[in-house]
Amino acid sequence: MKTIGLIGGMSWESTQSYYTLLNEGVKAKLGGLHSAKIILHSVDFEPIERFQREGKWEEAALVIQEAALSLERAGVDFILLCTNTMHKILPLITPQIKTPFIHIAEATAKALNAQGAHKAILLGTKFTMQETFYADVLKAHHIDVVIPDAKAIEIINQIIFQELCIGQIKTTSKEIFLKIIDDLKCHDEQIDSVILGCTEIGLLVDQKSAYLPLFDTTVLHVKEALNRSFCTL
C-alpha cells in the first residue's frame, strides 16, 4: 500500500470527507484494523480564498507549492490536491515537484467515460465554472460541459463559500441546486449527467435527491487514489 499525500484545508470540511473515504476504502479492501497510509498538509484557507478573490493566483500557487514540497520531503508516493478550484494553479507548481499529482478532473473524466456520459452540467465555484482549466480536461476526454447562467453561478458560489465551507448545510440551498439542475436539463435534453465540481457540494446534494447521474469529484478523486495506492506497477 502506497503512502498518499493530501493537500487539504480548502475547505477543511471537505478534507474530512477525503480522510474518511480513503480509510473506508482501505478497510473495505483489506479488512481488520487496516487503515490508509496518509500524510496530510492542511493549509489556512482564509488567505488562499482572498488570493482567489483578488486574482492573485501566483501567490496562491506558492502556498500550494510549499505544501507539496513538504509532502515530497515526507516521502509520499503521490499527491491529491483536495479541491477542484486550485487545480487551476497546478501547471504552475508541477514543474517544481517530482512527486506525481492525481488530477481531480482527469479522475472525473475517467468515471464519466466509463459510464458513457457525454454532456455534463458542471457545478462548482465561479472559477471552476467560468474558466477553462477544468472544462478543457473534460473536453479532451470528449465530454461536453454545460454551466448555469451568470445569476445562478453567483448563487452557487455564494452557497459554497458562505455556507458549505463553514459547515452550514441548508435544505433551502439544496433545493436551489436541484432547481438549477432541473432548469438546465429542461433547456437541453442531451444533458445526461451532473459533475459536483466542488469538493463541498457532495455534502449538500446526493444521488438520492437527483434523477440525473451525479459524479461527486471528491469520491472519484479518492477512488483513483485508492486504485493507485494498491497498484503494484
Side-chain angles (χ1 to χ4, degrees), residues 2-233:
K2 294 181 172 65
T3 301
I4 303 169
L6 301 180
I7 303 177
M10 299 167 284
S11 67
W12 67 263
E13 297 286 343
S14 62
T15 303
Q16 290 185 100
S17 299
Y18 272 88
Y19 187 80
T20 299
L21 290 167
L22 285 167
N23 280 291
E24 287 177 345
V26 170
K27 180 181 179 180
K29 184 172 182 65
L30 300 181
L33 297 177
H34 287 287
S35 55
K37 295 171 66 177
I38 295 170
I39 298 176
L40 167 64
H41 186 123
S42 190
V43 301
D44 180 6
F45 191 31
E46 179 75 22
I48 289 177
E49 187 278 330
R50 185 175 68 253
F51 288 146
Q52 291 177 349
R53 194 164 15 94
E54 296 174 354
K56 297 179 178 179
W57 294 99
E58 291 185 359
E59 288 87 339
L62 289 175
V63 177
I64 303 305
Q65 180 176 310
E66 166 106 19
L69 287 170
S70 75
L71 292 172
E72 186 167 84
R73 290 191 294 269
V76 302
D77 291 291
F78 54 86
I79 300 172
L80 302 187
L81 182 54
C82 302
T83 161
N84 285 273
T85 299
M86 290 303 287
H87 277 71
K88 172 183 168 68
I89 55 86
L90 212 53
L92 297 177
I93 67 174
T94 49
Q96 320 302 325
I97 311 295
K98 296 177 183 177
T99 306
F101 280 80
I102 296 180
H103 197 294
I104 196 168
E106 291 284 352
T108 300
K110 181 178 178 180
L112 267 77
N113 285 161
Q115 294 297 318
H118 299 289
K119 193 166 192 178
I121 296 169
L122 175 60
L123 304 178
T125 66
K126 64 181 179 181
F127 310 108
T128 300
M129 289 187 285
Q130 291 180 322
E131 300 189 28
T132 64
F133 69 93
Y134 203 93
D136 284 347
V137 174
L138 299 170
K139 289 176 182 177
H141 290 271
H142 312 291
I143 299 162
D144 290 329
V145 173
V146 178
I147 62 171
D149 61 26
K151 181 180 178 181
I153 285 173
E154 289 300 326
I155 292 170
I156 291 169
N157 196 70
Q158 179 178 338
I159 291 171
I160 290 170
F161 283 102
Q162 297 183 18
E163 296 177 21
L164 302 181
C165 284
I166 57 174
Q168 294 184 10
I169 310 299
K170 298 181 179 181
T171 301
T172 52
S173 295
K174 178 179 180 177
E175 292 170 350
I176 289 170
F177 269 72
L178 295 175
K179 178 69 162 53
I180 290 169
I181 292 170
D182 287 345
D183 288 347
L184 288 169
K185 175 63 176 176
C186 285
H187 285 90
D188 189 344
E189 286 298 321
Q190 292 185 339
I191 291 171
D192 55 21
S193 50
V194 180
I195 297 170
L196 306 184
C198 172
T199 53
E200 284 80 23
I201 298 177
L203 303 172
L204 181 69
V205 180
D206 58 23
Q207 190 60 68
K208 295 177 184 177
S209 55
Y211 62 89
L212 283 172
L214 302 183
F215 290 83
D216 186 333
T217 54
T218 302
V219 173
L220 299 175
H221 209 192
V222 165
K223 182 179 179 181
E224 194 64 24
L226 290 168
N227 289 340
R228 184 81 62 91
S229 182
F230 291 110
C231 180
T232 58
L233 298 178

